[in-house]
Amino acid sequence: MDQTETKERRDSGSHDITSPEKLVYQYQGSVEVVRAGTLAALVENLTHHDKLDGAFNRVFLATYKYFTSAAELIELLIDRFDCSPPKLDATQTTEWTTQIKPLIRLRVINVLKQWLEHFWSEPKGIDTDQNLRILQSFAKRATDATEASAVQQLLTVIQRRLAGLECHKRSLSSISNPPKPILPRKLNKLQFLKIDATEIARQLTIMEAHMFGKVQRDELLNKNWQMKDSSNTPELAPNIRALIRYSNQLSNWVGTLILAESDVKKRTQVIGHLVNVANTCHQLRNYSAVISILAGMESAPIYRLARTWAMVTERSCNTLRPLQAMTCSAHNYQAYRDTLRVAMAPCVPFLGLFLKDLTFIEDGNPAMTPEGLINFQKYTMLASTIHEIQRLKEAPYSLRPVPELQEYLATQLQSAVDLQNMWDKSCQLEARGRDLGNRPRDLYTPTGGMFASMVVACMVLDD
């Protein structure tokens, strides 16, 4: 186990300040990381002349909105660019001016470029335009003071932001030829059991991956997905909330499909088909759909169908078990976490677990330390979780959409009955205490909603 050791460091800084600014470091094994500090000290560390801490910079730029504003950060970085030397003798001052200050200035330019390219998420408006104009004016005067090519790159990024354009390239799929869709004979008369399970999984994955890809970093901050909408302000986390609705609709649809069949054999066929869809989603690394489908099958109205589950084929049961094991809640969902840790993009994770983690970090860690310093350790944990989400979006799926199938699935999901309202229907199909017949119910035992607590805690919408 890595030993964590804490120490304080007072940096005199390289700008004209009246008192030293404080950073508090800790050692995680042999790695020194910032635990807390004043805002001025954090900005100084962001642009240190003899040390480039890429991890620190990414955390700072991903979470700066918690402890400062864009306008204040711009002012601090410009002040840092124009910094004056500390109290030194004449020789040291000359050395500082010729060797250290140019490095600080170049770091400021590079930090601004990184911020605007990869972490800029300021809302469109007069204030944001004014901030960009301030940066543009600063960059133009900085041309003569530091490396011209770096400043020119910064100016180009500023101009793109002012024009409302994206500033970084999106990854392209490494697979050039998507698999050929498996189409049913009649696309105009679609029925669930007659659509290939693999193609259903593909189309569900395309639909959900598109929504997941639109999730912005700011939506994951400040528990924005839990904020109620206001007519005076824009929705703070529209893409996360869309994913939450989609997950709930998918679970509801699963229950609706099963309970729509009055014949027990037909119900087992539907379950078998859903199992195949979930299994293909797992192969596609669409873990969100896997969990939503299992949550639907393990909801109370479906869970209680003893006669139906007793007739599910052994093959389907054997396919379900590893999926159930992956989503087991034991040890804080360790099996699922291990699966995600090694997963490569493209991937669609179940967002509920990430939202749960972000909620615990937000609620369980104060913004400031008892000494009045910014608790940077909190923001490091937040940024680490958000980075893991972003990592899984780095490559798109190479799958071919089938509009007719997607329209069918979207319509089915949107019209599905809420699972909470299906209990009576379930009891009509199988009365309580009904005999299981000659087939023992020993092949598969549903757990009754392994992700229920997570969904209740983080994914309930107040619509």
Side-chain angles (χ1 to χ4, degrees), residues 306-335:
R307 291 183 65 246
T308 301
W309 283 109
M311 295 182 66
V312 172
T313 66
E314 184 174 1
R315 179 179 178 183
S316 292
C317 293
N318 290 338
T319 302
L320 267 174
R321 284 197 190 93
L323 302 181
Q324 187 185 33
M326 183 196 71
T327 58
C328 176
S329 62
H331 308 292
N332 194 20
Y333 306 95
Q334 190 61 50

Short mmCIF file of all heavy atoms in Angstrom, two decimals, residues 306-335:
data_model
loop_
_atom_site.label_atom_id
_atom_site.label_comp_id
_atom_site.label_asym_id
_atom_site.label_seq_id
_atom_site.Cartn_x
_atom_site.Cartn_y
_atom_site.Cartn_z
N ALA A 306 -42.40 -16.82 -11.31
CA ALA A 306 -41.70 -18.07 -11.01
C ALA A 306 -41.85 -19.10 -12.14
O ALA A 306 -40.89 -19.75 -12.54
CB ALA A 306 -42.21 -18.65 -9.70
N ARG A 307 -43.08 -19.28 -12.63
CA ARG A 307 -43.30 -20.27 -13.68
C ARG A 307 -42.54 -19.91 -14.96
O ARG A 307 -42.00 -20.77 -15.64
CB ARG A 307 -44.81 -20.38 -13.98
CG ARG A 307 -45.61 -21.00 -12.86
CD ARG A 307 -47.08 -21.17 -13.23
NE ARG A 307 -47.26 -22.12 -14.32
CZ ARG A 307 -47.70 -21.80 -15.53
NH1 ARG A 307 -47.98 -20.54 -15.82
NH2 ARG A 307 -47.84 -22.73 -16.46
N THR A 308 -42.49 -18.63 -15.27
CA THR A 308 -41.77 -18.19 -16.47
C THR A 308 -40.29 -18.46 -16.33
O THR A 308 -39.65 -19.04 -17.24
CB THR A 308 -42.01 -16.69 -16.71
OG1 THR A 308 -43.41 -16.45 -16.86
CG2 THR A 308 -41.29 -16.22 -17.96
N TRP A 309 -39.71 -18.07 -15.20
CA TRP A 309 -38.27 -18.27 -15.01
C TRP A 309 -37.92 -19.76 -14.98
O TRP A 309 -36.83 -20.16 -15.40
CB TRP A 309 -37.80 -17.59 -13.72
CG TRP A 309 -37.66 -16.11 -13.88
CD1 TRP A 309 -38.45 -15.14 -13.34
CD2 TRP A 309 -36.66 -15.43 -14.66
NE1 TRP A 309 -38.02 -13.90 -13.73
CE2 TRP A 309 -36.93 -14.05 -14.54
CE3 TRP A 309 -35.60 -15.86 -15.45
CZ2 TRP A 309 -36.14 -13.07 -15.17
CZ3 TRP A 309 -34.81 -14.90 -16.08
CH2 TRP A 309 -35.08 -13.53 -15.95
N ALA A 310 -38.84 -20.58 -14.49
CA ALA A 310 -38.57 -22.01 -14.44
C ALA A 310 -38.44 -22.62 -15.82
O ALA A 310 -37.80 -23.67 -16.00
CB ALA A 310 -39.68 -22.72 -13.66
N MET A 311 -39.01 -21.97 -16.82
CA MET A 311 -39.01 -22.51 -18.18
C MET A 311 -37.96 -21.84 -19.09
O MET A 311 -37.85 -22.20 -20.26
CB MET A 311 -40.40 -22.36 -18.81
CG MET A 311 -41.47 -23.19 -18.10
SD MET A 311 -43.10 -23.06 -18.89
CE MET A 311 -42.76 -23.85 -20.47
N VAL A 312 -37.23 -20.89 -18.56
CA VAL A 312 -36.16 -20.28 -19.35
C VAL A 312 -35.10 -21.34 -19.64
O VAL A 312 -34.72 -22.13 -18.77
CB VAL A 312 -35.54 -19.08 -18.59
CG1 VAL A 312 -34.31 -18.55 -19.32
CG2 VAL A 312 -36.58 -17.97 -18.44
N THR A 313 -34.59 -21.38 -20.86
CA THR A 313 -33.67 -22.45 -21.26
C THR A 313 -32.36 -22.39 -20.50
O THR A 313 -31.93 -21.33 -20.04
CB THR A 313 -33.37 -22.37 -22.76
OG1 THR A 313 -32.63 -21.17 -23.02
CG2 THR A 313 -34.64 -22.38 -23.59
N GLU A 314 -31.74 -23.55 -20.39
CA GLU A 314 -30.45 -23.62 -19.71
C GLU A 314 -29.41 -22.76 -20.42
O GLU A 314 -28.56 -22.13 -19.78
CB GLU A 314 -29.98 -25.08 -19.66
CG GLU A 314 -28.68 -25.27 -18.88
CD GLU A 314 -28.31 -26.73 -18.74
OE1 GLU A 314 -29.08 -27.59 -19.25
OE2 GLU A 314 -27.28 -27.01 -18.11
N ARG A 315 -29.48 -22.72 -21.74
CA ARG A 315 -28.53 -21.91 -22.51
C ARG A 315 -28.66 -20.42 -22.13
O ARG A 315 -27.64 -19.73 -21.92
CB ARG A 315 -28.79 -22.09 -24.00
CG ARG A 315 -27.88 -21.26 -24.89
CD ARG A 315 -28.19 -21.52 -26.36
NE ARG A 315 -27.35 -20.71 -27.21
CZ ARG A 315 -27.44 -20.68 -28.54
NH1 ARG A 315 -28.33 -21.46 -29.16
NH2 ARG A 315 -26.64 -19.91 -29.24
N SER A 316 -29.90 -19.93 -22.05
CA SER A 316 -30.10 -18.54 -21.66
C SER A 316 -29.62 -18.28 -20.24
O SER A 316 -29.00 -17.25 -19.96
CB SER A 316 -31.59 -18.17 -21.79
OG SER A 316 -31.99 -18.16 -23.14
N CYS A 317 -29.89 -19.22 -19.36
CA CYS A 317 -29.43 -19.07 -17.97
C CYS A 317 -27.91 -19.01 -17.88
O CYS A 317 -27.34 -18.21 -17.14
CB CYS A 317 -29.97 -20.21 -17.12
SG CYS A 317 -31.77 -20.20 -16.90
N ASN A 318 -27.25 -19.86 -18.65
CA ASN A 318 -25.78 -19.87 -18.64
C ASN A 318 -25.21 -18.59 -19.22
O ASN A 318 -24.11 -18.16 -18.84
CB ASN A 318 -25.27 -21.08 -19.42
CG ASN A 318 -25.52 -22.39 -18.71
OD1 ASN A 318 -25.70 -22.42 -17.48
ND2 ASN A 318 -25.58 -23.49 -19.45
N THR A 319 -25.94 -17.99 -20.16
CA THR A 319 -25.50 -16.72 -20.72
C THR A 319 -25.71 -15.58 -19.74
O THR A 319 -24.90 -14.64 -19.66
CB THR A 319 -26.28 -16.42 -22.02
OG1 THR A 319 -26.07 -17.47 -22.96
CG2 THR A 319 -25.82 -15.11 -22.65
N LEU A 320 -26.77 -15.67 -18.96
CA LEU A 320 -27.10 -14.60 -18.01
C LEU A 320 -26.14 -14.55 -16.83
O LEU A 320 -25.83 -13.46 -16.33
CB LEU A 320 -28.53 -14.81 -17.49
CG LEU A 320 -29.64 -14.07 -18.22
CD1 LEU A 320 -30.99 -14.48 -17.67
CD2 LEU A 320 -29.48 -12.56 -18.10
N ARG A 321 -25.67 -15.69 -16.37
CA ARG A 321 -24.89 -15.73 -15.12
C ARG A 321 -23.67 -14.82 -15.15
O ARG A 321 -23.44 -14.07 -14.20
CB ARG A 321 -24.51 -17.17 -14.79
CG ARG A 321 -25.66 -17.99 -14.24
CD ARG A 321 -25.17 -19.25 -13.54
NE ARG A 321 -26.30 -20.11 -13.22
CZ ARG A 321 -26.75 -21.08 -14.01
NH1 ARG A 321 -26.15 -21.33 -15.16
NH2 ARG A 321 -27.79 -21.82 -13.66
N PRO A 322 -22.82 -14.87 -16.19
CA PRO A 322 -21.66 -13.97 -16.17
C PRO A 322 -22.04 -12.49 -16.27
O PRO A 322 -21.33 -11.64 -15.72
CB PRO A 322 -20.85 -14.41 -17.41
CG PRO A 322 -21.78 -15.20 -18.25
CD PRO A 322 -22.77 -15.81 -17.32
N LEU A 323 -23.16 -12.20 -16.93
CA LEU A 323 -23.61 -10.81 -16.98
C LEU A 323 -24.06 -10.36 -15.59
O LEU A 323 -23.77 -9.24 -15.15
CB LEU A 323 -24.76 -10.66 -17.97
CG LEU A 323 -24.48 -11.07 -19.43
CD1 LEU A 323 -25.71 -10.83 -20.29
CD2 LEU A 323 -23.28 -10.33 -19.99
N GLN A 324 -24.76 -11.26 -14.91
CA GLN A 324 -25.19 -10.95 -13.55
C GLN A 324 -23.98 -10.80 -12.63
O GLN A 324 -23.95 -9.91 -11.77
CB GLN A 324 -26.11 -12.05 -13.04
CG GLN A 324 -26.74 -11.75 -11.68
CD GLN A 324 -27.55 -12.92 -11.16
OE1 GLN A 324 -27.19 -14.07 -11.40
NE2 GLN A 324 -28.62 -12.64 -10.46
N ALA A 325 -22.97 -11.65 -12.82
CA ALA A 325 -21.77 -11.57 -11.98
C ALA A 325 -21.04 -10.24 -12.19
O ALA A 325 -20.52 -9.65 -11.25
CB ALA A 325 -20.84 -12.74 -12.29
N MET A 326 -21.01 -9.76 -13.45
CA MET A 326 -20.33 -8.50 -13.73
C MET A 326 -21.01 -7.33 -13.04
O MET A 326 -20.35 -6.36 -12.65
CB MET A 326 -20.31 -8.26 -15.24
CG MET A 326 -19.55 -7.00 -15.65
SD MET A 326 -19.89 -6.43 -17.33
CE MET A 326 -21.57 -5.80 -17.18
N THR A 327 -22.32 -7.40 -12.88
CA THR A 327 -23.06 -6.28 -12.29
C THR A 327 -23.36 -6.49 -10.81
O THR A 327 -24.18 -5.75 -10.24
CB THR A 327 -24.37 -6.07 -13.07
OG1 THR A 327 -25.14 -7.29 -13.02
CG2 THR A 327 -24.11 -5.71 -14.51
N CYS A 328 -22.73 -7.44 -10.21
CA CYS A 328 -22.96 -7.72 -8.78
C CYS A 328 -22.52 -6.52 -7.94
O CYS A 328 -21.51 -5.88 -8.20
CB CYS A 328 -22.19 -8.97 -8.38
SG CYS A 328 -22.28 -9.36 -6.62
N SER A 329 -23.29 -6.22 -6.90
CA SER A 329 -23.00 -5.06 -6.05
C SER A 329 -21.91 -5.32 -5.01
O SER A 329 -21.53 -4.41 -4.28
CB SER A 329 -24.28 -4.61 -5.33
OG SER A 329 -24.75 -5.65 -4.47
N ALA A 330 -21.40 -6.55 -4.92
CA ALA A 330 -20.41 -6.90 -3.89
C ALA A 330 -19.17 -6.01 -4.00
O ALA A 330 -18.71 -5.70 -5.10
CB ALA A 330 -20.01 -8.37 -4.04
N HIS A 331 -18.67 -5.61 -2.83
CA HIS A 331 -17.45 -4.81 -2.75
C HIS A 331 -17.55 -3.55 -3.60
O HIS A 331 -16.62 -3.19 -4.34
CB HIS A 331 -16.23 -5.63 -3.14
CG HIS A 331 -16.10 -6.93 -2.42
ND1 HIS A 331 -15.82 -7.01 -1.06
CD2 HIS A 331 -16.23 -8.22 -2.85
CE1 HIS A 331 -15.79 -8.27 -0.69
NE2 HIS A 331 -16.02 -9.03 -1.75
N ASN A 332 -18.69 -2.86 -3.48
CA ASN A 332 -18.90 -1.61 -4.20
C ASN A 332 -18.78 -1.80 -5.70
O ASN A 332 -18.10 -1.05 -6.39
CB ASN A 332 -17.93 -0.53 -3.70
CG ASN A 332 -18.32 0.87 -4.16
OD1 ASN A 332 -19.47 1.12 -4.51
ND2 ASN A 332 -17.36 1.77 -4.16
N TYR A 333 -19.43 -2.84 -6.21
CA TYR A 333 -19.48 -3.13 -7.66
C TYR A 333 -18.08 -3.35 -8.24
O TYR A 333 -17.76 -2.90 -9.34
CB TYR A 333 -20.18 -2.00 -8.41
CG TYR A 333 -21.55 -1.68 -7.87
CD1 TYR A 333 -21.73 -0.65 -6.94
CD2 TYR A 333 -22.67 -2.42 -8.24
CE1 TYR A 333 -22.97 -0.37 -6.41
CE2 TYR A 333 -23.91 -2.14 -7.71
CZ TYR A 333 -24.07 -1.12 -6.80
OH TYR A 333 -25.30 -0.84 -6.27
N GLN A 334 -17.26 -4.08 -7.49
CA GLN A 334 -15.86 -4.24 -7.89
C GLN A 334 -15.72 -4.95 -9.23
O GLN A 334 -14.86 -4.59 -10.04
CB GLN A 334 -15.10 -5.03 -6.81
CG GLN A 334 -13.59 -5.04 -7.03
CD GLN A 334 -13.00 -3.65 -7.01
OE1 GLN A 334 -13.26 -2.88 -6.09
NE2 GLN A 334 -12.23 -3.31 -8.03
N ALA A 335 -16.55 -5.95 -9.50
CA ALA A 335 -16.44 -6.69 -10.77
C ALA A 335 -16.70 -5.75 -11.95
O ALA A 335 -15.99 -5.79 -12.96
CB ALA A 335 -17.41 -7.87 -10.79
#
